[in-house]
Structure formats: C-alpha cells, structure tokens
Amino acid sequence: MNMWKECKSLQEELVKTRRELHQIPEFGFDLPKTQAYVIRILEELEIPYKCSSKDSGIIAEIKGEKPGKTVALRADMDALKIQEENDVDYKSIHDGFMHACGHDTHITMLLGAAKILNQHKEDLQGTVKLLFQTAEELAKGSQVMIEEGGMDNVDAVFGQHIGSIMNKDIPSGKVIIVPGCCMASYDRFSIKVNGHGCHGSTPEKGIDPVNIASHIVIALQEIIAREVSAVKPAVITIGMIHGGVAYNAIPSIVEIEGTIRALEEPVRQHLAKRIKEISEQTAKTFGGAAEVEIDWGAPPVTNDNEMVELATNAAKEVVGETNVVTEIPAPNMGGEDFAYYLQKAPGAFFFLSSSNPEKHTDIPHHNPHFNVDEDVLYKGSAMFVKIVEDYLK
C-alpha cells in the first residue's frame, strides 16, 4: 500500500503540533490540557476514543474494513518537573515544567500516523489501537493503561523514543532497533534514617543520622562492586539526600532517595533486597534505625525477536538500510514502562535519533536545554504506519 510515504506531506503540520504541545507540559497522571489537545485532533479526524476513568490516558481505535489482528501503538504524554532554559518562541508556558524527554514529539508522531491510517482504514485488515499514556516518568502510566483495557485483544504492540537516548553520536534520522533487552529496569528507593537530634557541640548526647546516612551511601556501592557479577550491568545511584536545618545541630532524620537499574530480573530483586538489609543493619550498628521503601517502577524492556525483524524491515523502507542500527555495544541503562506492554503481547520498542550538534539537539534527555531535530518527525509517523501496513497485511 505504501501509505507510509504520505507522512512526509504532514511534516509542517507535525512541527506545528509538536510546538503547541511543547508549550503545555504537564506532569504525572493528570494532564488535562494535553488530553484535551489530543481529543480535539481525534475528534477532527473522527477517530473514536475513550478516556481513562483513572487518569488522563486515552485509548483510540481505527477499525479496518476487513477483520484481522489488532496492533497497538503507544505514545507517552507526560513531561518533567524541569524549568526550561531554551530560548525558543515555543518555550514552555508552565513554570517549572518542561517536555525534556521528547514526549511531545511522541504524541505528535502518533497523531500523524493516526491521520494517515484513518484515511486508509478501508485498506486495513484488522484494528489499530492508539494508546496515549500518562505517567511514563513515574513508571506507572502503562499499568493504568493496561487496567483500562488498552491491551485487551492486542496481538502486537510497538513504541518508539526520540532523541539521543541510545547514543548522541548516532546521527539524526537513524532508527535503532535491537532484539532482546534494550533498556534496563528502573525503580526508586527511599531510606529514612532515624537518629536523635542534639547540639553539634555534644554529639555523644544524640544519634547522628548524617553519619549513619554517609555510611549507608558508601556501603550501598559495595553491592555493585562485590555482589553483582561484572558481566551483569547494574546501577545504584543516590540522587537526593536531605537532612538538617542548622550548621551546629545534629538532626533527628536524614532522607535518602535513589534509583536502581538492572538488565535481569534476579539482579533487580537482589539489589532491592540488599539495599534494605544494608541500610537497616548499618543504622542499627550506630544506634539508629532505617525505614526503607522500594517504589517498584518497570522491569527491563525486552523486545520480541520476530517483532524486531518486522520493525527493522519497516525501518529499512522508511529511512533506508544504511540508516538502520541493529546492534549496540550494550543495552541502555535508562528505563521505560513500555516493558509492561511487552509482558502482555509480543512487540518492539525502537529509537529515532534526533541528535544533531549543528542544531544543538545532541543535549542529554532530562536537561533544561533538551530539544529535538524536528526534521525527523514525519519519519516517526512513517515508522508507525509502515509497521501497521506490514503487520496487518
């Protein structure tokens, strides 16, 4: 059918859509402006949809004229709590929030694909589900989408991520698709260290949670150094430590937060188990106590080999064989809650590079200066359309 080729004609429209979405970033599960924007376009296209009863997620459906399989395409919609520092006329109008991970483009590219697919629904043999998901940054939105029926009767699922997330040296416009595990699990942990506050001049009268927290931070790194095989990638990172109100006072509480990443579920479970044990026992050693919470995020993203082959062949058509990367030195240690969809149906998660130093779009994700090379937007839409063509043919 080659309907994917029509996506190029949408490029100017896609840029406009992306910039409008970029200005209204919202965080977490409640994305009222973003939801309203997507609904408006779906209604203009006369694509039926239903809204989640639990968050701002949207499930839309394009039914082909002929019966067949059902394929799901996913876009995440949430932004980050980051103050944008880009000097552009489409800068975020929501103070303290920014689309610093490209989710505005994910929505845009899926809406573009939806427009073309809907125009050709009489040629489709099967159904296309469009999943507009919240709270990917919290690793929770895909689970809500699944609870709301997003993956009911789905035979295959596909998603993509824009930017320089895999490697900033991969030029803009290239598509990266790899079999097996392509992204790590990601979970958050918090440790509340309880001591007993006192004056800084008489530390013997209290129990110092700052000292305990310091020992815990150092001890946790020994899990990676001495308990996990060197050939099994794993990460424990402390991102936040809070405690104290005065330079000369020992506080009663210090709070620690961090993240764990792993490529294998047994390693993931071991990290969580040992963080709890080491924190509690270290605190006890110094006379304090530690309360540990593991906020489970998402498991590793593991692609289905058959769906990877299908997506790879689609990419070779859309961007050309020389612009398709099928091998990387190691999986990315970033995480994605798309992993939960892959537990429900075979599928593939792939990456569209927008890294272009000349346009300053090679800046890392989650950075206040993050931006994308908008010239690739139609390629993302075309990838979705071509995958649907090939899967439902």
Side-chain angles (χ1 to χ4, degrees):
M1 290 181 285
N2 290 331
M3 65 179 79
W4 65 270
K5 293 182 178 179
E6 297 177 27
C7 292
K8 191 168 186 178
S9 67
L10 300 179
Q11 175 62 16
E12 188 175 333
E13 178 183 330
L14 294 174
V15 171
K16 178 176 179 292
T17 298
R18 182 259 164 166
R19 292 185 177 190
E20 289 173 349
L21 285 165
H22 189 82
Q23 293 180 76
I24 55 169
E26 297 168 297
F27 182 80
F29 297 96
D30 189 23
L31 319 173
K33 289 186 179 180
T34 307
Q35 183 190 55
Y37 189 100
V38 173
I39 287 173
R40 177 177 61 80
I41 293 181
L42 291 173
E43 290 181 345
E44 288 174 359
L45 297 175
E46 298 183 345
I47 296 175
Y49 66 89
K50 72 171 185 177
C51 295
S52 168
S53 62
K54 298 180 179 180
D55 64 3
S56 296
I58 305 165
I59 302 171
E61 232 176 46
I62 300 172
K63 284 188 174 293
E65 292 294 324
K66 306 165 188 175
K69 293 183 178 181
T70 297
V71 57
L73 307 175
R74 175 270 211 161
D76 39 9
M77 303 190 293
D78 56 322
L80 289 152
K81 292 182 178 180
I82 291 176
Q83 182 67 43
E84 182 164 11
E85 295 180 13
N86 286 318
D87 184 17
V88 292
D89 57 9
Y90 52 90
K91 185 176 180 178
S92 168
I93 61 172
H94 292 169
D95 193 45
F97 296 89
M98 176 190 175
H99 271 297
C101 201
H103 296 188
D104 50 341
T105 71
H106 299 169
I107 306 167
T108 298
M109 294 185 295
L110 185 53
L111 287 172
K115 182 173 185 176
I116 299 301
L117 290 167
N118 194 54
Q119 288 173 352
H120 293 274
K121 60 185 176 183
E122 69 277 1
D123 297 319
L124 295 178
Q125 186 175 332
T127 300
V128 182
K129 271 192 173 183
L130 311 171
L131 310 181
F132 295 94
Q133 175 207 310
T134 69
E136 186 281 325
E137 297 294 351
L138 299 175
K140 308 293 185 187
S142 64
Q143 297 173 75
V144 175
M145 179 62 74
I146 291 167
E147 291 170 6
E148 292 286 272
M151 289 297 289
D152 290 357
N153 303 313
V154 168
D155 298 295
V157 60
F158 296 89
Q160 65 178 309
H161 206 302
I162 202 169
S164 58
I165 191 166
M166 294 305 282
N167 186 334
K168 72 181 183 66
D169 296 324
I170 297 176
S172 180
K174 286 185 180 269
V175 173
I176 304 98
I177 310 175
V178 294
C181 182
C182 65
M183 296 188 81
S185 62
Y186 73 116
D187 307 292
R188 183 185 71 88
F189 64 88
S190 63
I191 307 167
K192 183 180 179 182
V193 181
N194 296 299
H196 186 73
C198 63
H199 197 283
S201 65
T202 55
E204 74 280 2
K205 294 182 178 180
I207 296 172
D208 188 352
V210 176
N211 177 57
I212 295 171
S214 300
H215 280 83
I216 289 173
V217 169
I218 298 301
L220 293 185
Q221 297 308 313
E222 296 304 312
I223 303 173
I224 303 297
R226 287 295 176 266
E227 297 186 20
V228 178
S229 169
V231 298
K232 295 182 181 294
V235 174
I236 296 177
T237 293
I238 306 297
M240 297 187 346
I241 300 180
H242 297 291
V245 294
Y247 80 96
N248 61 347
I250 290 174
S252 292
I253 295 172
V254 170
E255 295 177 320
I256 303 169
E257 288 192 37
T259 185
I260 56 178
R261 310 289 170 117
L263 299 182
E264 298 178 15
E265 188 63 25
V267 175
R268 179 191 186 200
Q269 295 296 329
H270 180 76
L271 297 181
K273 174 176 175 287
R274 291 296 286 143
I275 286 171
K276 180 175 174 62
E277 291 174 348
I278 288 172
S279 299
E280 291 176 347
Q281 293 304 315
T282 300
K284 187 176 181 180
T285 297
F286 293 99
E291 302 170 32
V292 181
E293 177 189 353
I294 305 296
D295 181 14
W296 295 104
V301 179
T302 305
N303 285 334
D304 176 84
N305 290 346
E306 185 179 348
M307 296 301 104
V308 165
E309 183 179 2
L310 184 145
T312 300
N313 290 332
K316 289 177 180 178
E317 286 286 321
V318 173
V319 299
E321 189 165 353
T322 59
N323 289 316
V324 180
V325 178
T326 57
E327 292 183 3
I328 54 175
N332 187 283
M333 295 307 289
E336 245 287 350
D337 72 352
F338 188 83
Y340 285 107
Y341 298 122
L342 293 172
Q343 292 182 341
K344 297 294 182 180
F349 192 71
F350 56 94
F351 306 87
L352 175 62
S353 176
S354 68
S355 180
N356 187 335
E358 293 181 3
K359 297 182 179 180
H360 306 291
T361 61
D362 59 341
I363 292 169
H365 294 245
H366 294 214
N367 183 291
H369 292 284
F370 175 81
N371 211 336
V372 302
D373 182 355
E374 294 175 322
D375 289 346
V376 307
L377 292 179
Y378 80 90
K379 296 180 181 179
S381 293
M383 277 296 299
F384 275 145
V385 173
K386 178 59 176 169
I387 285 171
V388 169
E389 287 186 68
D390 290 352
Y391 187 77
L392 295 183
K393 95 164 69 162

